[in-house]
Amino acid sequence: MKINDVRLTIVGIPRETGFVSKHIIIELFSDVGITGVGEMSDFSHLPRYAVAVEDLTLSLKTILIGKDPFDLTLINRELVENFPEMQNLYEKGSIIRNGVDTALYDMCGKFLNVSVSDLLGGRMRDKIKVCYPIFRHRLMEEVEDNLAIVRKRYEEGFDVFHLYVGKNVDADEAFLHGIKQEFGSKIKIKSIDFSNLLDWKKALQVVDRLAKYDFELIESPTDRNDFEGLHHFRMRVKHPVSEHVWSFKQLYDMIKFDSLDIFNISPIFIGGLTGAKKAAAVAAVCGKSCLLGTTQELSIGTAAMAHLGGTLENLDYTSDPTGPKLYVGDIVKEPVKYENGYLILPDRKRAGLGLELDWVEIEKYRVPDLSWENVSVHQLQDRTADGRK
């Protein structure tokens, strides 16, 4: 089997916050009639620049056409050479590599008539505990809105939540107080996430203030790439500390400084399933736990993470991929399923990712480019609507 063509399609799908996230659907075509599908998820990250999709299509055709999709290591090495790691959580190259790698796994699974999780080593579990995100408070008035979100999602079966903090600590504390008063132990806060907005000393002050409320772990509590500071922070708190893995150099440095307890691993940030599986193996060798992070993918990207998470022996903490619940639409005929706060792995009897594109929905959400026009910095940072300041 050889790859003989590549097609990229851009969609822009609104989140329930009103923010429109843009994604690229990648299709790899083969000489035996099998098509592999992947997702370059959520290009709406900072920095603000966007790729030219026509040029990207030509570049990927140059790299991929004529390749055997089973040569995953060879192709991923060439992808890194063309879209190198930048040691930044929001780099665009990792998004591109992830989409291609997902499509390769989907194609190979379909050829062998096995699921992607079987290609990744076989399943240890058929469902993954996940949490619903509560985005960062910037105004005190947003507290009640976020409590309403918790009420709604709790009725749908979500009992674990991920809280982004650090912009308005008074509001963060009011929200946590409201959760405690209304739900008691029925609701669990998985993490308070600083998203690298504060240095470690300022983050430590916030943690000291919020520590009277129950949360399981702390995420990204330092300036980006300050791994020595992350170590100092970790030594001063009782909660386990997590950070995203966005390059293998950064992964090495976090191990070197013994900076964290939990590796936050997501294919979108490390550049694909191949890299994510390798990063999780490194964590296991070091005796560290991991969880699955997210940029809030659509069903294709989420299904890929579900297949990955089903294979990981050190997936010890609640994970984050609930993207399909955040969007008003999707681009597959049967979106991934959630039950009682769990992401259900796709049917193992379905080959590849186990999903089928819905071209009616794709045409509904198709957009011409990835530009962001007059969207503000805070909207790109927290994926919020115009009304939030």
Side-chain angles (χ1 to χ4, degrees):
M1 179 170 58
K2 301 292 183 181
I3 299 169
N4 64 9
D5 204 1
V6 179
R7 181 167 65 188
L8 304 182
T9 304
I10 312 170
V11 293
I13 303 185
R15 297 185 179 207
E16 291 192 347
T17 62
F19 183 87
V20 177
S21 287
K22 296 183 180 181
H23 317 260
I24 293 178
I25 304 162
I26 176 171
E27 298 168 274
L28 302 181
F29 301 96
S30 71
D31 58 358
V32 297
I34 292 174
T35 302
V37 176
E39 179 186 310
M40 300 178 188
S41 312
D42 195 10
F43 271 86
S44 42
H45 280 125
L46 292 165
R48 202 181 187 93
Y49 66 81
V51 300
V53 175
E54 295 82 2
D55 290 343
L56 177 59
T57 301
L58 290 174
S59 297
L60 291 177
K61 286 183 176 182
T62 300
I63 296 168
L64 297 171
I65 288 178
K67 294 286 200 308
D68 184 330
F70 282 96
D71 290 335
L72 289 160
T73 302
L74 176 66
I75 294 173
N76 271 277
R77 186 173 66 182
E78 191 165 349
L79 288 171
V80 170
E81 290 173 353
N82 284 274
F83 308 101
E85 292 184 338
M86 303 300 292
Q87 292 205 66
N88 189 311
L89 179 64
Y90 301 130
E91 64 152 301
K92 310 300 185 184
S94 64
I95 299 175
I96 295 166
R97 298 196 309 272
N98 174 57
V100 175
D101 196 41
T102 300
L104 292 171
Y105 273 95
D106 187 47
M107 178 176 278
C108 292
K110 289 173 178 174
F111 183 83
L112 296 174
N113 197 32
V114 299
S115 75
V116 167
S117 55
D118 290 320
L119 291 177
L120 291 169
R123 298 186 179 188
M124 297 186 65
R125 59 187 68 83
D126 292 316
K127 61 182 181 180
I128 298 167
K129 186 66 176 176
V130 293
C131 58
Y132 194 87
I134 301 298
F135 294 107
R136 208 174 321 275
H137 298 96
R138 294 175 183 271
L139 302 171
M140 185 63 73
E141 298 85 74
E142 294 166 353
V143 171
E144 184 52 44
D145 292 339
N146 281 334
L147 288 172
I149 290 173
V150 172
R151 295 183 194 107
K152 176 183 176 181
R153 296 305 180 179
Y154 180 68
E155 291 178 358
E156 297 173 358
F158 290 96
D159 58 356
V160 183
F161 292 84
H162 178 142
L163 178 61
Y164 292 87
V165 300
K167 280 293 184 181
N168 187 327
V169 183
D170 290 338
D172 297 334
E173 184 170 11
F175 173 81
L176 289 169
H177 179 76
I179 289 292
K180 184 176 181 180
Q181 289 293 105
E182 183 171 347
F183 294 97
S185 61
K186 293 186 291 184
I187 289 292
K188 179 179 179 181
I189 301 298
K190 183 206 76 170
S191 57
I192 57 171
D193 188 343
F194 291 90
S195 303
N196 306 115
L197 296 178
L198 303 179
D199 64 47
W200 72 268
K201 291 183 179 180
K202 292 179 181 177
L204 187 61
Q205 292 173 354
V206 176
V207 170
D208 287 343
R209 179 172 171 180
L210 300 181
K212 59 187 174 183
Y213 301 101
D214 292 329
F215 51 88
E216 188 175 10
L217 59 99
I218 303 164
E219 297 199 52
S220 305
T222 63
D223 293 323
R224 190 168 296 125
N225 292 324
D226 180 12
F227 308 120
E228 186 173 4
L230 190 57
H231 172 80
H232 289 310
F233 178 92
R234 178 174 173 249
M235 294 297 101
R236 287 166 170 79
V237 297
K238 296 180 180 179
H239 294 84
V241 175
S242 173
E243 180 58 275
H244 296 83
V245 178
W246 55 80
S247 79
F248 284 96
K249 173 61 167 64
Q250 174 242 15
L251 175 62
Y252 170 82
D253 287 338
M254 289 193 295
I255 293 169
K256 176 182 176 181
F257 285 103
D258 196 19
S259 298
L260 73 167
D261 305 284
I262 307 160
F263 290 81
N264 185 322
I265 296 171
S266 178
I268 187 68
F269 296 131
I270 196 64
L273 291 168
T274 299
K277 186 75 173 180
K278 184 191 300 184
V282 171
V285 169
C286 296
K288 304 289 187 179
S289 298
C290 67
L291 60 84
L292 290 178
T294 185
T295 185
Q296 306 305 350
E297 295 79 357
L298 301 173
S299 277
I300 293 173
T302 303
M305 286 193 290
H307 283 287
L308 171 67
T311 72
L312 298 181
E313 60 179 332
N314 56 336
L315 187 68
D316 300 323
Y317 289 86
T318 300
S319 292
D320 295 312
T322 51
K325 287 292 185 179
L326 273 67
Y327 292 100
V328 302
D330 214 316
I331 44 83
V332 296
K333 292 185 176 179
E334 295 182 29
V336 294
K337 296 179 180 178
Y338 295 87
E339 294 179 3
N340 299 318
Y342 285 86
L343 169 61
I344 307 302
L345 269 67
D347 188 345
R348 195 171 190 171
K349 295 178 182 178
R350 294 185 178 182
L353 293 172
L355 301 177
E356 182 180 357
L357 292 177
D358 186 333
W359 281 97
V360 173
E361 292 299 299
I362 291 170
E363 291 301 330
K364 176 181 176 182
Y365 293 112
R366 186 195 288 263
V367 294
D369 57 47
L370 294 169
S371 63
W372 297 109
E373 301 172 354
N374 63 344
V375 177
S376 67
V377 169
H378 79 262
Q379 287 176 263
L380 291 175
Q381 186 177 75
D382 288 341
R383 315 301 198 285
T384 54
D386 292 336
R388 297 190 65 182
K389 304 298 182 184

